Amino acid sequence: MVFRNLLPARRATWVAAFVVCAYAAAAWSADGAAPAAASGGASAAAVAPVAGSRPAVTTLDGDAASADARGNVAELTQMLHDGKVVELRTTYNGSYGASMMFDPQEMTYYVSLFQDKHLWRVIKSQDKRRAEMVYANFVQQTVTLSDVEIRRTELQAQKAFLERVIALSENHAQRLQADLNVARTQQAAVAQRQKVEQDQTRALQIEQRAGQAQLRDLQQQVRQLQRQTETGLPTQQ
């Protein structure tokens, strides 16, 4: 009878233990996912890029900064603020990054995934090998996540470069057009000047021929007067 009375209590104990184990297994699943922080893990502290230095910290948004926020993101945020962790590794791809930090007092590793230096996900483990695997996974995620961002940055740079080339080409074309306009204006002025000079030349030629004819007449008159003077006879009119 006593054994039978103990069975329900043992079964309740086993059920409770099974639930606890199942929750722990779900929380530390093999894919590297960690339990979400009280704020959802979307916003958190900044991560410094230099190992051994104290990272710059930003406060958690909303309730995540309260004392009730006990998720890994909130915990690492506080430890960053207190300078209790050492940065071991950090990888950046675009605005995304992965960092592996170490708490020497508790011999605990914190692996974080962040964007614009704000924590996104944090995995906590005392198993170095597991921390290294999670870090490698997060680094690969930063590569994938940053592909579109990097491509956008490259396209923006190409667009700006093309705009500069177009502006230079337009400026060159404007300079050539200005030179061509000057050349056309100068050519028109030269043509007008040449026409005037040609008209003047023709007028001078006419005047020259008239002058030459007048000179010949005068020369002939002079010769006649000279003969008259020499002979003393009047010339026939």
Side-chain angles (χ1 to χ4, degrees):
M1 294 296 294
V2 175
F3 177 78
R4 290 180 180 179
N5 292 335
L6 290 176
L7 285 178
R10 291 185 177 180
R11 287 175 182 173
T13 302
W14 294 339
V15 170
F18 177 77
V19 171
V20 171
C21 292
Y23 175 79
W28 298 99
S29 57
D31 62 356
S39 62
S43 60
V47 179
V50 181
S53 62
R54 180 173 180 176
V57 175
T58 58
T59 57
L60 289 169
D61 295 335
D63 294 337
S66 67
D68 295 334
R70 302 307 303 168
N72 289 340
V73 172
E75 182 177 335
L76 180 57
T77 298
Q78 187 61 47
M79 297 190 73
L80 285 167
H81 183 272
D82 298 338
K84 292 183 178 180
V85 291
V86 178
E87 185 175 357
L88 301 180
R89 297 181 181 179
T90 297
T91 298
Y92 286 95
N93 282 292
S95 64
Y96 296 90
S99 182
M100 182 173 174
M101 300 185 183
F102 181 62
D103 177 9
Q105 184 174 356
E106 299 295 334
M107 297 295 294
T108 302
Y109 297 90
Y110 291 85
V111 185
S112 64
L113 178 65
F114 56 90
Q115 182 185 19
D116 291 328
K117 296 187 178 181
H118 287 82
L119 294 177
W120 182 5
R121 297 178 60 192
V122 174
I123 302 298
K124 174 182 177 182
S125 177
Q126 290 184 319
D127 185 344
K128 182 179 180 180
R129 180 178 297 179
R130 181 172 184 273
E132 294 278 5
M133 292 177 61
V134 173
Y135 176 75
N137 178 266
F138 280 2
V139 169
Q140 184 57 44
Q141 288 189 43
T142 64
V143 174
T144 302
L145 291 169
S146 64
D147 280 345
V148 174
E149 182 179 73
I150 292 174
R151 181 57 178 163
R152 182 193 63 190
T153 301
E154 292 173 344
L155 289 175
Q156 287 177 339
Q158 292 174 5
K159 179 176 178 288
F161 177 77
L162 288 176
E163 288 175 350
R164 290 197 303 272
V165 172
I166 290 172
L168 290 173
S169 298
E170 288 179 346
N171 182 59
H172 189 199
Q174 291 173 356
R175 292 170 62 88
L176 290 176
Q177 185 63 47
D179 290 342
L180 183 59
N181 293 338
V182 170
R184 286 174 177 173
T185 302
Q186 187 67 21
Q187 183 178 2
V190 169
Q192 180 64 27
R193 186 182 303 111
Q194 286 181 341
K195 183 177 181 302
V196 171
E197 290 177 351
Q198 287 175 356
D199 292 343
Q200 292 176 350
T201 301
R202 282 193 294 269
L204 290 173
Q205 287 175 346
I206 293 172
E207 291 177 359
Q208 182 183 19
R209 285 194 293 269
Q212 289 176 347
Q214 183 180 4
L215 177 61
R216 285 194 298 271
D217 292 342
L218 289 174
Q219 287 176 345
Q220 184 178 2
Q221 184 179 0
V222 167
R223 284 194 297 270
Q224 291 175 354
L225 291 173
Q226 187 174 4
R227 283 195 301 269
Q228 181 181 1
T229 302
E230 292 175 355
T231 60
L233 298 176
T235 59
Q236 298 294 326
Q237 298 294 329

